[in-house]
Every structure is written in structure tokens, then in C-alpha cells.
Amino acid sequence: MQGKKKLEGIKLKDAERNERTLEVLADTSVESDKELIEILDKVKSYAPNGDLDTIMKAYKLAKYAHRDQKRKSGEPYFIHPLAVANIICDMQLDIETVSGGLLHDVVEDTEYTYEDIESIFNKEIADLVDGVTKLGKIKYRSKEETQSENLRKMFLAMAKDIRVILIKLADRLHNMRTLNYMDPEKAKYKATETLEIYGGIAHRLGISKIKWELEDLALRYIDHDGYYELVEKVSMKRSQREENIAKIVNCLQEKFAEMEIPCDVYGRPKHFYSIYRKMKNKNKSFEEIFDLTAVRVLVDTVKDCYAVLGVVHTLWKPIPGRFKDYIAMPKPNMYQSLHTTVVGPDGEPLEIQIRTHEMHNIAEYGIAAHWKYKEGISNSKEDKIEEKLQWLRQMMEWEKDLKDPHEFLDALKEDVFSSQVYVFTPQGDVIELPAESTPIDFAYRVHTNIGNKCVGAKVDGRMVTLDYKLQNGNIVEILTSSNSPGPSRDWLGIVKTPNAKSRIRQFFKKERREENIERGNAILEREFKKHGLPTTKDSVIDKNMLIIAKKFNQPNVEDLIATVGYGGIMASQVVTKLKELYTREIRQAMKEKKASISEDIEKHNISDAEYSKKRKKTPSQGIIVEGLDNILVRFAKCCNPLPGDEIVGYITKGRGVAVHRADCVNVNPDDEFFKKRMIKVSWDGAGKDSNSTFEAEIQIKVVDRRGIVNEITHIVANEKIGLNGINARKGKDSEVTINLLVEVDGTEQLDYIMNKIKSVPGVERIYRMTN
């Protein structure tokens, strides 16, 4: 099938690879491969006029490119892209998507490049492959950031071409089917990501066929014991349930035949994850879950849907509040169906779903149903697809404002993958919002100006507060005023949608610059104090703040502070980067000063006693650092030194001098690396001559008796010692362990309070804790 002329236009930059590729693509022996024939037969069944040569080329190239690679199972790697292509064929997608599925790992994992794929095929297929290429070669600081960046790229690609995510979902589905070959911890992480992210995407795109399988597979690894226990329980009474459903199906078929309504009726078992979630969310046991099986009725027309509903309600009594009409009001993912729950012939609840065959196709494949192979897509069809993907367009607007990966992932789960509520405008238009959204979210979803000018809201004709949680079916009217000063900062804590948060932040960014700068300064000052950085004018801080402003794409320090003020950048992000730069400069200054001191001593032959007098003593958190002033000092959490303890200093990377107790397990003066970084430190008298206090943790082993914890805390209170934390837990043989986190001025005060506590009847042991 693959003629030589069609291959002549392929010109890869690497001459040797070009020659090998031409030989591979011209190889006709591959055309008898059973796997290739199976894919071509599937495509022929729904695309008889499709360009099968393109799929053959993709098959040959992918098989050759992955020839030496193995999966974790030890099987040839090529079985993965082959399985992905088969899943895509089952969705009956176009030639380019099937080819993209076969090639989706070629650019990432083999010698072939994006340019090679474009030359061999075309830009459309190359873009699809690039859209699903993972970011494994880029290093990130955390799992959250890796996941966030992957998702950013995925959603950007989706915004350009929705077929990218269809390939990605097929890729994830096959990986989940073969997850048993992965390390258990990694498998659990992948399963959790699948459930939270990919299952949510499949749901929003309406692809229930893939959604349910992803969720059931994920559950197997997230709660292994719970999954198999559920499988066993479902299997136990399956024959009885199937017998009951068969009777109901026969009854309905006979009734519909009498009324001459052509239809398909069959039982549909509930998916394991659906049952599991219902048990967890509603705190029910398995025995309390009655609707383990539902009945589905497929008809030809919408008119027949409502006729069937009438028949069902005459046969069995409907349960109030359990009827949903998704035909009149479709879900945003295009799902349409009638749902009703009735009291079945055996007296137990029975769910019945009624829909047309076309609706069923869309319910199974969602947005993919619009990408089934066609000779062309009409403008009206394109408009409908664009309308259904409006949530994606909105998301790509607000995601630009979210720099923190944790915030981005949280926002995704809230806006894209959470449960939804459907409310109406006064004109009858349906607005979809995440569950627990407020009238403010509604206002910003309608238009930014309506949100900015909002002064009140009516729900179903009555006034409500702006933090009111909207319910399905509410008619929402937003009251606006041209004299409104704009949104309140408190709204950021009320709204649910990232879209609303983004618009509110943009308002403050543009409208209230001076207020933002003032607020930003206050936030940064608190953060500086928290991390032990100078809060007064400091030349090193000022210089490095300008460097950080550039890193965050801010033209100057004032703009950086304003951005912190309105919430565009987290203060913790600024301080993290600042500490790195600040400590680097201080460390350099320490080296220079040490060199200068050594030179001074050598040059003038100054004695140690004279040097001690000459040295400038500037305390830092109650600590004097040998020969240095204005240095960042922190107390090591592993030993929590107190005034009175013998201490040593250790020069850390990027965090100044860490002060340890001399007997700390992490102090190793015999280690050459540690020795090089050691520096002399001493207490400057804090705790005796000042009001400084230090945290210390003590652990007390006591015999369990009523009121003993109260007696111990009473002693601490009487001595006017700060109590920052308490934790008590019961062990074996009636022994109770109590941990106290106290504020003391030094070891003398700590010893005193420990001796007081030791005198309490029932206290067996007490000692100072180190981590």
C-alpha cells in the first residue's frame, strides 16, 4: 500500500536516520502483522474512506523507534502505544488521532524529533504528539510542581486541540491497566493522581466509559483491601440480583411492546468506585446499599423517552426527590438522560435511566463523540464543541495568575473536578458552578463588571447574604450599583471559583496600588521576622529585593511589594528566594572578614585577649558569633539549645549559622567536612539580662490517674512559664506519656520547673527532649 513516491518527500536532517527510516516505511512485510491488521479493520469499520496509509506509516515508525525498549513487565515497549491506539479506535476517532496515539511516546523516548514527525507526516500529527509528550526530562523541586507543570502544558494543548487529552486519557488508561508491575508506593501515587485529575477530566469531557474504568482501577491501588472486600461482597449475591433484574427487564419489554415503543432494555451493574464512594460519603455499610444495579432503556426519540417514563411510573411508585431531567437541562459535559428511582417489585429502590441511542453514545464518549471520524465538521458543530469547552477557556485565563503549584492544583480540583450546581439567570440561562459557590461567583461568571459592581443578591426572589451557598435550580439575580467602591478583600475568603478570585485580585492590582504597597510591606515584614531577616533598612536586603523583583517579572521592588499586597505572589516565595541570596552574601562577607582578621592578627601580632577586647559584640537572637556581626542565626531544631547549654555554631548553606548543643548527636567535630564549617559561638547573656525566652520540650512518664495532667499544667501556670503545646497519650500498663512545649529563659529555669513537676505524685520519669 505504501508507494515509493509517497516516501520521496521525507527529508530528515540526519542522513543515516533518513535512510533507515525510508527503509522501515517501505517494508511491506510489516503489513501482515496481526496487530496492524486489527487496527486497520477497526478504522475501516467506521472510516471506510480514511487514509489508512498514514496509520500504517505511524505503526511502522513507532514499532521501529521503540524496537529496543522494554516495559517494567519485561514486555516490548511497543505494546503500550499499540494498546493506546486500540483504545482510540474504540472511540472511533479520526486518522490523525489514531496515528498520534501510535506515536505519542516517540519524540520523548526515542531518537526522533518533532521536526522528524512533521516531515514524515504533517504538522497536525506532530502537534498532537508534542501535546502529550511528558515533561520527565525537566527537573522540578517537588511532586506538586511536576504535576502542576504537566497539567499546565496539558491544558494549554487541550485549548488548542481537544484530541490531545483524548490521547492522554487513552495513555493513562492503559498504564492503569498495567499498574501491577510498578512499585506499590508509586502505584498508589499514580492511582491517586488518576482519580483526582484524569478521572475528573474524563468526567468533565463526558467520557464515562473511560471515567468509570479509571476510577475502578485507581481504587484497587488506593484501598487494596477495601476494593477486594467490595468485589467479594458484590459477587456473593450477583446471581440473585441478576435474576431480579431479568424479571424487571422482561416486564418492561412486554409493556413497551404492547405500546409499540421500539427500545433496548438491559441491566447495568454499578461500578465499584460508585458503590465505594456512596458507602464512604454517606457512612453506610454495604448491606445498606440497595441500588447495586440499575436498568437502562434506550429509545429512538426524545418523545419516546417521556413516554417510557410515564409507563415506568404507572408500574412502580416513584421515590420523591429522586427524579432528574437531564434532557431538558443537560449537564455541561453534554450528558442527557432521564433518571428516576422507583420502589421495585421486590420493595427495594430501583434506578432507571432513559435516553435515546444518540444520547447514550454521547454519554459513553462525551466530547469524543463529536470527534468521531467524519468527512468534515460543520461550523455549527464546531460552535457546539467550543461552547462545551467554555470551562476550559475560562480556566486558561485564571491559571496565568496562579504561580504557586499547590494553589494551582487546589484550584483545579475545586473548579474543574468538584461536584457542580446548576443555577439560572433571571432570563432562564443555565450557569454551571462548583458546589458551594456563592452569588459573587455567579456574578463574576456572568461578567467581570457585574462582579465588581455587585452590592447584593436575590435568590428565588428573596434577598440573601453574599456568602449564601447556591443550590441546584436557584434563580439568581445580582444587584449592582454604579457607585459601588468595588469588591471587598473579604470576598477572597468567600468565593469558591478561581475565576472570581482572579478577577478580584486583578481589581485590587489596578485600582488600589497604594493600599497594596502598604499591605504588601506589612505582610513581608511579618514574614521577615518569622525567618529572622532584618526588618529595618538593610542595603543587602534592598539590593536583593530588586533581583527578586526581576525573577518574578516585576519591573521594580515597589511593584513586587504591591503584587504581594493583592495576593498575586506569596510572601513565602519572596522570602525563600531572598534568604538564599542574603545568606550567600553574608557567607561571602564572613570569609572576607575572617581573612581580614587573620591578616590583622598576623600583621600586628595581637594577642587573643587584645583581640577579644577589640572585637565588636553585636548579639543575634542572644548569640555572639566569633568575629562576625549582623549575621543570620537560628537554633537547631534537633536539640533546641537554651542559655546555659554548651553550644557550637555550624555555617549552613543558605540559612546562616545554626546553633547546636555541644552534645547534639548531629555535632561531629571529628568529621573533616563538619569541622571546616564549625564556628565559635557563645551566649550574650539573654535569659538573665533580657526578656528573651526559648522553647524547650520535656517528656513526662506518669502513672494514669484522674487529674494528674491538670496538676502538672497548674504548676507550669503558677510559675508563670509559657505553655505552647501539650500532648498526652496512653501506653501499655496504665503508663501515660505527656509532652509539654514550654517557654523558658534558660537551663536553670527549665531544671527548676522539671524538679517541681517531678515532685507530683505519680510522676515516674521526666527528661528534656531532643529530636
Side-chain angles (χ1 to χ4, degrees):
M1 275 196 252
Q2 188 66 59
K4 273 192 174 181
K5 287 185 179 179
K6 290 191 176 182
L7 300 175
E8 286 174 1
I10 299 173
K11 296 290 180 187
L12 307 187
K13 287 183 180 179
D14 186 298
E16 186 184 344
R17 188 159 77 245
N18 190 78
E19 189 175 337
R20 280 187 282 121
T21 303
L22 289 172
E23 288 176 9
V24 168
L25 297 180
D27 181 10
T28 56
S29 65
V30 180
E31 293 170 20
S32 61
D33 283 6
K34 284 191 293 185
E35 293 91 349
L36 175 59
I37 292 170
E38 182 184 352
I39 286 179
L40 293 177
D41 286 345
K42 282 185 178 181
V43 175
K44 281 179 194 173
S45 69
Y46 65 82
N49 300 320
D51 181 9
L52 300 182
D53 283 348
T54 298
I55 294 177
M56 287 182 63
K57 270 200 300 184
Y59 178 91
K60 292 176 183 179
L61 183 67
K63 188 170 187 177
Y64 171 73
H66 294 297
R67 64 195 179 281
D68 297 325
Q69 296 171 347
K70 301 284 185 185
R71 285 175 66 78
K72 287 187 181 293
S73 62
E75 297 170 293
Y77 188 87
F78 182 61
I79 67 167
H80 172 63
L82 190 65
V84 170
N86 271 296
I87 292 168
I88 292 168
C89 287
D90 291 338
M91 288 192 275
Q92 300 187 4
L93 299 180
D94 59 15
I95 303 298
E96 289 74 20
T97 314
V98 177
S99 303
L102 286 164
L103 298 165
H104 77 276
D105 276 337
V106 164
V107 170
E108 183 191 8
D109 294 336
T110 77
E111 60 187 338
Y112 288 93
T113 65
Y114 172 92
E115 289 73 22
D116 294 338
I117 303 299
E118 186 177 13
S119 174
I120 297 169
F121 298 92
N122 53 47
K123 188 176 186 305
E124 185 178 0
I125 291 175
D127 284 345
L128 286 174
V129 173
D130 183 59
V132 291
T133 297
K134 297 182 286 295
L135 303 178
K137 296 175 185 176
I138 301 175
K139 293 180 181 177
Y140 297 100
R141 290 190 294 273
S142 67
K143 281 184 178 179
E144 288 82 3
E145 191 165 345
T146 306
Q147 193 183 63
S148 173
E149 291 302 322
N150 272 307
L151 288 167
R152 284 176 192 269
K153 181 169 183 180
M154 186 164 62
F155 283 117
L156 283 167
M158 283 169 65
K160 294 177 184 176
D161 192 334
I162 195 62
R163 291 174 295 176
V164 167
I165 195 56
L166 301 180
I167 298 173
K168 191 71 181 177
L169 286 172
D171 169 61
R172 180 51 66 108
L173 179 55
H174 183 251
N175 281 334
M176 287 300 296
R177 287 173 179 173
T178 56
L179 203 59
N180 55 305
Y181 294 105
M182 189 177 277
D183 170 80
E185 274 304 308
K186 289 183 179 177
K188 188 173 182 179
Y189 173 77
K190 282 285 182 190
T192 303
E193 181 186 64
T194 297
L195 194 61
E196 291 184 350
I197 304 299
Y198 293 92
I201 292 172
H203 170 69
R204 287 302 299 262
L205 296 176
I207 312 173
S208 62
K209 194 174 182 65
I210 288 179
K211 170 186 180 280
W212 287 119
E213 189 175 354
L214 285 176
E215 289 178 341
D216 282 356
L217 289 168
L219 178 60
R220 187 186 304 176
Y221 296 95
I222 292 170
D223 186 354
H224 181 274
D225 294 341
Y227 174 81
Y228 282 103
E229 184 182 343
L230 189 58
V231 170
E232 186 181 349
K233 286 180 177 178
V234 168
S235 300
M236 281 172 62
K237 295 185 178 180
R238 178 174 288 163
S239 57
Q240 183 184 338
R241 281 196 306 275
E242 287 176 351
E243 187 181 327
N244 290 340
I245 288 296
K247 289 178 184 176
I248 291 167
V249 167
N250 289 335
C251 174
L252 288 171
Q253 285 174 334
E254 288 173 9
K255 197 71 177 173
F256 298 146
E258 285 177 23
M259 301 186 65
E260 298 182 349
I261 300 175
C263 62
D264 294 324
V265 186
Y266 56 90
R268 182 189 68 86
K270 288 265 187 180
H271 295 274
F272 293 120
Y273 181 69
S274 175
I275 301 168
Y276 179 87
R277 188 174 55 188
K278 184 175 282 190
M279 288 168 63
K280 290 286 182 185
N281 291 350
K282 297 185 178 179
N283 197 25
K284 289 187 174 183
S285 66
F286 179 79
E287 288 69 27
E288 294 176 286
I289 306 293
F290 295 106
D291 52 341
L292 294 177
T293 311
V295 171
R296 184 172 288 152
V297 183
L298 302 183
V299 295
D300 294 331
T301 66
V302 173
K303 180 183 174 183
D304 288 341
C305 289
Y306 290 100
V308 165
L309 178 68
V311 172
V312 169
H313 284 180
T314 56
L315 288 171
W316 302 296
K317 186 178 180 180
I319 297 175
R322 296 293 302 272
F323 169 67
K324 295 182 179 70
D325 188 345
Y326 294 119
I327 293 179
M329 195 169 73
K331 291 184 179 182
N333 62 10
M334 302 174 293
Y335 179 87
Q336 285 185 289
S337 187
L338 296 177
H339 289 196
T340 186
T341 304
V342 297
V343 179
D346 54 358
E348 292 185 353
L350 171 69
E351 184 186 52
I352 298 178
Q353 298 175 355
I354 308 161
R355 62 181 71 148
T356 67
H357 292 281
E358 184 182 357
M359 290 172 190
H360 178 64
N361 186 35
I362 292 173
E364 291 287 289
Y365 295 107
I367 200 75
H370 287 299
W371 277 104
K372 284 192 172 186
Y373 176 80
K374 301 175 183 70
E375 295 300 326
I377 298 178
S378 66
N379 289 335
S380 62
K381 185 70 77 176
E382 280 186 349
D383 290 343
K384 279 188 177 180
I385 294 171
E386 185 67 26
E387 181 186 329
K388 299 304 177 188
L389 291 176
Q390 187 59 34
W391 62 272
L392 176 62
R393 309 289 179 244
Q394 289 172 342
M395 189 186 69
M396 294 316 300
E397 287 179 22
W398 56 254
E399 74 91 23
K400 295 171 189 172
D401 295 330
L402 300 176
K403 307 295 182 187
D404 180 41
H406 293 274
E407 192 179 358
F408 177 70
L409 286 174
D410 289 343
L412 270 180
K413 290 169 189 175
E414 279 183 14
D415 193 71
V416 182
F417 310 130
S418 63
S419 301
Q420 309 296 305
V421 293
Y422 306 98
V423 295
F424 294 94
T425 68
Q427 292 74 37
D429 297 324
V430 179
I431 301 291
E432 173 219 2
L433 293 164
E436 298 188 352
S437 289
T438 66
I440 306 172
D441 293 294
F442 175 91
Y444 278 105
R445 183 60 60 90
V446 173
H447 198 280
T448 301
N449 285 340
I450 292 177
N452 287 342
K453 297 295 180 184
C454 172
V455 292
K458 287 183 178 181
V459 172
D460 298 334
R462 62 183 180 86
M463 292 294 295
V464 296
T465 57
L466 290 178
D467 61 355
Y468 174 84
K469 306 296 184 192
L470 297 175
Q471 307 294 320
N472 277 318
N474 283 158
I475 300 172
V476 186
E477 181 184 354
I478 299 299
L479 308 177
T480 61
S481 169
S482 56
N483 297 322
S484 167
S488 161
R489 285 195 185 276
D490 294 338
W491 289 8
L492 287 170
I494 294 172
V495 295
K496 185 74 175 173
T497 58
N499 175 59
K501 287 179 183 175
S502 172
R503 298 298 178 225
I504 294 166
R505 283 174 179 149
Q506 282 181 9
F507 174 87
F508 288 117
K509 179 181 178 180
K510 292 176 184 176
E511 304 292 329
R512 298 187 180 176
R513 181 175 171 78
E514 293 303 317
E515 184 184 327
N516 289 334
I517 292 171
E518 187 179 335
R519 183 181 174 83
N521 273 320
I523 293 170
L524 285 171
E525 186 172 335
R526 283 199 301 272
E527 200 72 19
F528 280 15
K529 281 181 180 176
K530 184 177 166 185
H531 289 269
L533 289 169
T535 55
T536 53
K537 202 72 175 169
D538 185 285
S539 58
V540 179
I541 292 286
D542 288 347
K543 182 177 74 174
N544 287 321
M545 280 290 281
L546 184 58
I547 295 170
I548 291 167
K550 301 294 183 188
K551 285 180 182 285
F552 282 107
N553 299 317
Q554 300 296 324
N556 52 56
V557 175
E558 203 173 63
D559 282 340
L560 174 67
I561 294 169
T563 308
V564 171
Y566 72 77
I569 297 172
M570 302 290 287
S572 57
Q573 293 176 285
V574 175
V575 171
T576 300
K577 291 185 182 295
L578 184 63
K579 277 182 75 174
E580 290 173 10
L581 297 171
Y582 179 75
T583 313
R584 195 181 303 157
E585 289 207 22
I586 293 297
R587 197 162 57 242
Q588 184 61 34
M590 285 168 65
K591 285 182 184 175
E592 291 171 4
K593 192 152 190 172
K594 273 190 172 182
S596 172
I597 291 167
S598 301
E599 189 181 326
D600 195 36
I601 291 172
E602 198 173 310
K603 186 176 179 182
H604 301 287
N605 196 23
I606 300 173
S607 68
D608 287 346
E610 286 176 311
Y611 170 67
S612 295
K613 288 179 184 177
K614 186 176 179 180
R615 178 185 52 168
K616 185 178 179 181
K617 291 186 180 181
T618 303
S620 180
Q621 295 199 51
I623 296 294
I624 297 172
V625 181
E626 178 86 2
L628 296 166
D629 54 23
N630 199 26
I631 178 69
L632 183 66
V633 169
R634 65 181 181 86
F635 296 109
K637 295 291 184 186
C638 52
C639 54
N640 288 325
L642 299 175
D645 286 326
E646 194 178 336
I647 54 176
V648 296
Y650 179 77
I651 302 168
T652 66
K653 285 187 176 181
R655 300 181 70 188
V657 173
V659 178
H660 291 261
R661 278 163 52 183
D663 61 353
C664 177
V665 293
N666 291 321
V667 172
N668 186 7
D670 297 327
D671 182 272
E672 281 302 315
F673 181 78
F674 191 94
K675 200 171 180 179
K676 284 179 184 177
R677 290 179 172 271
M678 279 182 68
I679 188 168
K680 287 184 180 179
V681 293
S682 59
W683 297 102
D684 77 327
K688 291 182 179 179
D689 307 321
S690 76
N691 294 321
S692 298
T693 58
F694 303 81
E695 273 196 345
E697 186 176 3
I698 55 178
Q699 188 169 95
I700 313 155
K701 301 285 186 178
V702 303
V703 176
D704 187 17
R705 68 172 173 81
R706 187 182 297 276
I708 193 167
V709 175
N710 188 47
E711 288 176 38
I712 291 170
T713 54
H714 190 65
I715 288 173
V716 175
N718 280 348
E719 295 300 328
K720 297 182 180 177
I721 288 175
L723 181 60
N724 291 347
I726 182 169
N727 180 37
R729 57 202 178 279
K730 192 170 183 178
K732 295 178 181 178
D733 302 323
S734 299
E735 186 181 67
V736 174
T737 302
I738 303 169
N739 281 59
L740 299 181
L741 197 62
V742 296
E743 279 189 3
V744 293
D745 59 24
T747 53
E748 285 183 20
Q749 192 177 27
L750 182 65
D751 291 341
Y752 174 76
I753 194 68
M754 286 173 69
N755 285 328
K756 292 277 285 185
I757 293 172
K758 198 172 183 180
S759 66
V760 174
V763 172
E764 295 185 331
R765 298 187 302 281
I766 180 168
Y767 43 87
R768 180 176 168 189
M769 290 287 291
T770 58
N771 292 335

